Amino acid sequence: MTRLAKGVVIIAVLLVAVFLIFRTPDTDPTEMRAKYGTPPSQFVQIESGLTVHLRDEGPREAPVIMLLHGSNADLHTWQPWVDRLKSDYRIIRFDQPGHGLTGATPDGDYGIGTYVKTIDQVADKLGIDSFILGGNSMGGGHTLQYALAHPDRVDGMILVDASGPPQMQSDDDDSAGNIGFTIARTPVLNQLMKHITPRSLVEQSLSQSVSRQEVVTPEAVDRYWELLRYPGNREATIFRFGQKRVPLTAEQVAGLDMPALVIWGAEDALIPLSAGEWLGANLPRSELLVLDGIGHLPMEEAPDQTAEAVRTWLAQVQLTTSDQN
């Protein structure tokens, strides 16, 4: 064997060794369901064939709020609001396709149409005709897209640091200012991410997303890290960040005449406040709440203030509806 050939073999062996040392395999679905899918969790199969992990809490006869988490998050991100609002509202939250315990879709498609269809089919499965729809970050973008497609089912919108507006820091959804999202949209590196996803990377990514670092607990980091590695979720992340994001136009959002509460962290490093101001200016029936000292996850960073703002806004929306009737 020539010296060059020996060198190539040595390098190959070293690369394989490094891969095996640092490889972070998928988590075990049974273990993850036992840890993160305990009651009141449900696992329901919708029309597309996808089994969705959801939680449906609060009085059955109460107004319905459906909440959508952000990119690489899960339904647990809404726990602070659920704790504060479920006594008076029926709150439904679920792990979106390619996230949490819902995991991979049957067809491997994670385009916007899949997310809109899933919202619709979850509502159908639960027998809900219309509802308040809310979302954070990517979930806010999905809220807007669903409202455009099915305005008759959306009684109002809650947009929390939502994606979708043109005044974002990059053309890619939820990517600027976050190392994890940057890697997810970087060729070659994102392929390694399928197999090597250090916990430290997840911790840094979450830390960059918030201003109040007390949110970044070991338990939260473990949850993000373990559910990102739920089978199919890393592949779904790469798919989503590989898609070209087309921002909404002023004409599109001007046609959404349902009430909208826009909540924004003034220190959001992922989606700038200008995006929230754009929504506030172009949604015809919007109210904008800006929170100083808060980052990308207001519902976790300022749970009391944001939940109370939602409660106050919902009371106003219901009063207006009653007056019109």
Side-chain angles (χ1 to χ4, degrees):
M1 182 180 293
T2 67
R3 183 175 298 177
L4 176 61
K6 288 181 179 178
V8 170
V9 170
I10 291 172
I11 291 172
V13 170
L14 288 174
L15 288 174
V16 170
V18 168
F19 176 82
L20 292 175
I21 291 170
F22 291 100
R23 184 175 74 95
T24 45
D26 285 346
T27 49
D28 179 78
T30 301
E31 291 180 4
M32 291 299 97
R33 285 194 175 200
K35 186 172 184 178
Y36 298 113
T38 54
S41 285
Q42 303 177 46
F43 293 86
V44 301
Q45 188 173 64
I46 58 175
E47 186 180 343
S48 67
L50 180 68
T51 298
V52 175
H53 173 222
L54 64 81
R55 291 187 175 181
D56 180 359
E57 300 170 82
R60 300 297 90 176
E61 69 280 3
V64 177
I65 307 171
M66 185 181 292
L67 297 171
L68 309 173
H69 61 75
S71 182
N72 295 104
D74 57 84
L75 61 75
H76 293 84
T77 195
W78 296 109
Q79 192 62 49
W81 278 17
V82 174
D83 292 341
R84 290 160 175 80
L85 298 172
K86 69 179 180 181
S87 60
D88 299 305
Y89 297 95
R90 179 180 178 184
I91 304 179
I92 298 163
R93 49 191 165 134
F94 65 92
D95 290 339
Q96 298 193 74
H99 292 80
L101 299 178
T102 295
T105 61
D107 60 3
D109 185 356
Y110 302 98
I112 188 62
T114 292
Y115 292 98
V116 169
K117 178 175 66 177
T118 300
I119 297 166
D120 210 44
Q121 293 183 2
V122 167
D124 287 345
K125 184 73 176 184
L126 298 178
I128 300 166
D129 294 326
S130 64
F131 43 91
I132 299 287
L133 184 60
N136 169 240
S137 192
M138 177 193 77
H142 293 169
T143 295
L144 288 161
Q145 293 286 351
Y146 184 83
L148 287 169
H150 302 282
D152 55 312
R153 299 193 79 168
V154 180
D155 297 326
M157 297 184 293
I158 304 172
L159 303 168
V160 185
D161 293 68
S163 66
Q167 277 90 342
M168 294 180 62
Q169 291 174 334
S170 78
D171 290 334
D172 295 287
D173 193 16
D174 302 353
S175 59
N178 186 297
I179 187 172
F181 295 160
T182 299
I183 290 174
R185 62 185 175 91
T186 303
V188 181
L189 283 179
N190 59 14
Q191 297 304 311
L192 288 175
M193 182 183 170
K194 291 181 183 178
H195 309 285
I196 301 176
T197 312
R199 184 183 183 278
S200 59
L201 175 67
V202 174
E203 183 174 16
Q204 183 179 354
S205 180
L206 180 58
S207 180
Q208 289 176 327
S209 298
V210 298
S211 291
R212 294 191 175 176
Q213 293 300 309
E214 58 266 29
V215 171
V216 189
T217 64
E219 295 77 16
V221 174
D222 282 345
R223 191 185 80 240
Y224 273 85
W225 184 49
E226 291 173 342
L227 293 180
L228 175 60
R229 292 159 45 226
Y230 193 83
N233 287 352
R234 285 184 283 190
E235 289 83 354
T237 298
I238 294 167
F239 183 105
R240 287 186 293 105
F241 280 97
Q243 303 301 296
K244 178 67 175 179
R245 300 302 183 188
V246 180
L248 297 170
T249 66
E251 290 75 18
Q252 284 178 303
V253 299
L256 297 173
D257 63 356
M258 67 283 292
L261 174 62
V262 182
I263 300 175
W264 224 271
E267 296 183 0
D268 191 335
L270 276 73
I271 307 179
L273 176 56
S274 59
E277 292 171 337
W278 184 89
L279 286 169
N282 287 284
L283 285 166
R285 298 174 61 191
S286 66
E287 175 182 328
L288 174 62
L289 172 63
V290 178
L291 303 171
D292 292 333
I294 301 299
H296 192 59
L297 303 177
M299 65 283 190
E300 294 192 63
E301 297 179 68
D304 289 331
Q305 186 178 1
T306 53
E308 185 58 32
V310 169
R311 183 182 293 279
T312 300
W313 175 77
L314 285 170
Q316 294 171 347
V317 169
Q318 291 170 21
L319 178 61
T320 301
T321 302
S322 299
D323 289 345
Q324 290 175 344
N325 292 338

